[in-house]
Amino acid sequence: MRRPNILILYTDQQRWDTLGANGNSEILTPNLDALAASGVTFTHHFVQSPVCMPSRISMLSGRYPSSIGITHMGVPVPQDLLTLPHILKPYGYRNANIGKLHFLPHANRDHRLPHPDYGFDHMEISDEPGVYEDAYRAWVRQRAPKQMDSISAGIPPATRTWYRTMGIYDKVAHRGDPEGRFDFDGGIPFAADDDLPHSAFVAEQTVEYIRQQGGQPFLCIAGFYSPHAPWMVPQKYLDLYDPERLSLPDFPPEIDRGRPLDPGAQFSDGHLRRAKQGYYAMISEVDDCIGRIIDALDRTGQRDNTIVIFTSDHGEWLGDHFKFGKGYPADDAVSRVPLIISAPGGMPGQRVDGIVEAVDIVPTLLSLAGIQTPPTLQGVSLGDVVMAGAQVTKQAALTEGDGWKCLRNRDYRYLIHSDGKERLWHIESDPGEYADVADEPAHQSALTRCRHHLLERLLQMERPLARSWTY
């Protein structure tokens, strides 16, 4: 059989509700909306960790973070861990990752050194825009060496500590040095030329990789850093949005009354709208880049034999709960992300509201490529959903962290800590997850059901080693 190519368009920190195809009437995402029209959109897709590294390795291995032993940041991914490129390689696939991968901590290493391949044949790794001497900096230096001081998103504090400890001096300037890294005030115009941002690098090199492919099937992951803060983006994308016309988070009345009136203050109307403008602008920039990548598939005659997936590693609070960023307790704002799967011969323009998880992506791709699923994988294939409109059977999604686990079904989110403390949110009456109802008598039966479902899931996750004989 002719096996399909696989293209994974992977953003960083993108909420599920930031696509026109997902009902957002404010955001401009025409290329992603077109992709949704050609495939299946999963409206209740949840990641297994609310932070980058555990989420990414969980998705690409088809396993829950706890089973891998990576439930927090800063843990290098073992090089022998079975991941999608390892599985595909014996079937003739050429595997590439361009842009962000984040399988290694990046604050304390020399990015000029070769990266472990993790089963990839082609790697152009750049986990942060302009911060390190990596593939992105090399790309900019070749194109516009005089603009090197205008591309950095800001040096991370841990990198600054490592540089100081090791006596390293970086000759490239960093935006907002030293405080520019955690700027959530709003959009920041990209200081270099419009064709030089990190997203443009990912798009251009992905397009070039697609052009170079012949008859051999390929896996290509286009790893965008956007829309991760700081929201540094060419001005033309900021100009797409008038912040005064953007909506505010849907705060409960008692929460809303506690916000400041001064438009310059944090979490005021002005601040929240400026932040949304920057965030949306970065998503529109990525949408443009994705349009270029899809166009390259069309122009090279490969679109009809390519599975295209769009998703993200986690979401963004974007002012919800008076927070920015991501993390515990993995409410919908940070654990529910977009998922679009467009496959040759699949169901076009379908919307699936059933619950699915990021661990289901690898089993789905293997099924669509006619490749058996290794027994260590813990997700389930959505191949029949994508190709034949079958029903999703999963009842809940699991998200994990250090010392806590979170179960999300259609009606509730349940959270339990290692000390036994429980929390419960009723999604239907409280979609923002502001009111803990774990102690309310009306929700005790739901609390019991969630405990039961979590125990079931933990048992289902077990993958004991295979025995070699009866004893």
Side-chain angles (χ1 to χ4, degrees):
M1 65 175 290
R2 183 186 180 196
R3 300 193 189 277
N5 305 318
I6 300 169
L7 174 64
I8 300 177
L9 305 166
Y10 204 15
T11 59
D12 190 336
Q13 209 150 308
Q14 185 168 353
R15 297 163 59 110
W16 79 275
D17 56 3
T18 53
L19 299 178
N22 280 350
N24 188 324
S25 60
E26 296 179 335
I27 200 164
L28 300 173
T29 53
N31 293 297
L32 286 167
D33 297 345
L35 182 65
S38 74
V40 178
T41 300
F42 294 87
T43 64
H44 287 74
H45 168 238
F46 296 88
V47 295
Q48 275 49 79
S49 172
V51 293
C52 296
M53 293 184 74
S55 179
R56 287 168 174 270
I57 188 54
S58 175
M59 187 276 277
L60 278 174
S61 66
R63 295 173 59 185
Y64 292 93
S66 59
S67 75
I68 303 168
I70 302 177
T71 57
H72 50 226
M73 300 286 281
V75 180
V77 174
Q79 296 184 40
D80 60 351
L81 182 68
L82 187 68
T83 58
L84 179 60
H86 288 120
I87 300 170
L88 294 177
K89 191 180 289 286
Y91 293 88
Y93 277 81
R94 179 169 168 77
N95 304 305
N97 189 96
I98 297 169
K100 184 160 186 171
L101 179 63
H102 210 172
F103 274 21
L104 294 178
H106 49 70
N108 64 336
R109 61 185 175 88
D110 189 338
H111 291 247
R112 298 169 299 177
L113 297 175
H115 194 286
D117 62 57
Y118 291 110
F120 291 102
D121 306 289
H122 179 99
M123 302 183 79
E124 298 184 49
I125 303 299
S126 176
D127 289 332
E128 303 248 348
V131 175
Y132 308 112
E133 280 296 337
D134 58 15
Y136 171 52
R137 273 200 192 177
W139 179 81
V140 174
R141 186 173 282 112
Q142 190 275 332
R143 294 167 62 96
K146 294 182 180 180
Q147 299 190 55
M148 291 298 294
D149 286 341
S150 302
I151 64 171
S152 174
I155 191 167
T159 303
R160 179 177 303 284
T161 300
W162 190 62
Y163 283 176
R164 184 170 56 248
T165 302
M166 303 300 293
I168 297 171
Y169 173 69
D170 188 3
K171 296 180 181 179
V172 173
H174 296 278
R175 187 198 66 83
D177 201 0
E179 300 298 334
R181 179 68 180 179
F182 299 106
D183 189 342
F184 296 105
D185 187 60
I188 302 160
F190 183 64
D193 291 347
D194 286 357
D195 62 346
L196 295 178
H198 190 270
S199 293
F201 154 74
V202 173
E204 180 171 301
Q205 297 308 100
T206 300
V207 166
E208 183 60 30
Y209 180 82
I210 289 171
R211 287 174 178 161
Q212 293 173 3
Q213 304 314 301
Q216 185 178 10
F218 69 81
L219 161 70
C220 183
I221 301 174
F224 293 96
Y225 180 82
S226 295
H228 191 296
W231 300 306
M232 190 173 71
V233 61
Q235 183 66 47
K236 64 181 181 180
Y237 295 105
L238 291 169
D239 291 342
L240 294 174
Y241 299 97
D242 177 359
E244 294 303 316
R245 294 179 177 270
L246 295 176
S247 61
L248 297 168
D250 189 15
F251 294 113
E254 65 276 12
I255 300 292
D256 196 41
R257 286 192 292 269
R259 293 193 302 113
L261 297 177
D262 180 354
Q266 192 175 41
F267 303 115
S268 66
D269 288 2
H271 175 217
L272 293 170
R273 287 185 167 121
R274 290 192 303 274
K276 182 173 280 191
Q277 179 196 26
Y279 187 66
Y280 280 14
M282 290 193 88
I283 293 170
S284 289
E285 180 194 20
V286 169
D287 184 84
D288 265 4
C289 292
I290 286 173
R292 293 170 54 195
I293 295 171
I294 299 297
D295 183 61
L297 286 175
D298 289 332
R299 285 186 285 104
T300 57
Q302 299 182 87
R303 180 69 176 92
D304 291 340
N305 192 47
T306 302
I307 302 166
V308 182
I309 288 187
F310 172 75
T311 192
S312 193
D313 59 355
H314 52 74
E316 158 69 54
W317 278 304
L318 200 61
D320 290 356
H321 296 271
F322 294 169
K323 292 190 287 188
F324 289 97
K326 72 280 187 179
Y328 169 91
D331 40 312
D332 272 21
V334 296
S335 65
R336 186 178 174 188
V337 303
L339 177 61
I340 300 170
I341 303 178
S342 177
M347 304 286 289
Q350 300 297 304
R351 291 176 61 83
V352 175
D353 292 329
I355 288 178
V356 299
E357 299 178 285
V359 290
D360 300 333
I361 290 176
V362 169
T364 300
L365 291 172
L366 297 178
S367 172
L368 295 175
I371 298 172
Q372 68 269 29
T373 301
T376 54
L377 272 61
Q378 296 168 305
V380 298
S381 172
L382 305 171
D384 289 344
V385 181
V386 173
M387 302 304 293
Q391 296 295 309
V392 169
T393 59
K394 190 169 286 188
Q395 299 300 307
L398 178 69
T399 304
E400 314 181 286
D402 282 340
W404 59 270
K405 294 186 185 295
C406 187
L407 192 80
R408 167 64 154 87
N409 60 31
R410 288 307 298 265
D411 301 318
Y412 289 90
R413 178 179 299 279
Y414 168 69
L415 174 68
I416 185 166
H417 303 80
S418 57
D419 62 2
K421 181 181 179 182
E422 297 173 301
R423 300 178 71 186
L424 186 70
W425 296 271
H426 186 216
I427 303 297
E428 182 179 0
S429 63
D430 179 28
E433 301 170 69
Y434 284 89
D436 180 5
V437 297
D439 294 329
E440 295 187 7
H443 298 279
Q444 292 309 296
S445 61
L447 184 64
T448 299
R449 289 195 302 273
C450 286
R451 291 170 181 152
H452 180 77
H453 289 161
L454 178 58
L455 288 172
E456 285 183 329
R457 175 58 61 85
L458 295 177
L459 290 170
Q460 293 165 2
M461 287 167 55
E462 292 184 359
R463 294 292 186 273
L465 295 175
R467 60 185 181 182
S468 61
W469 196 236
T470 55
Y471 61 87

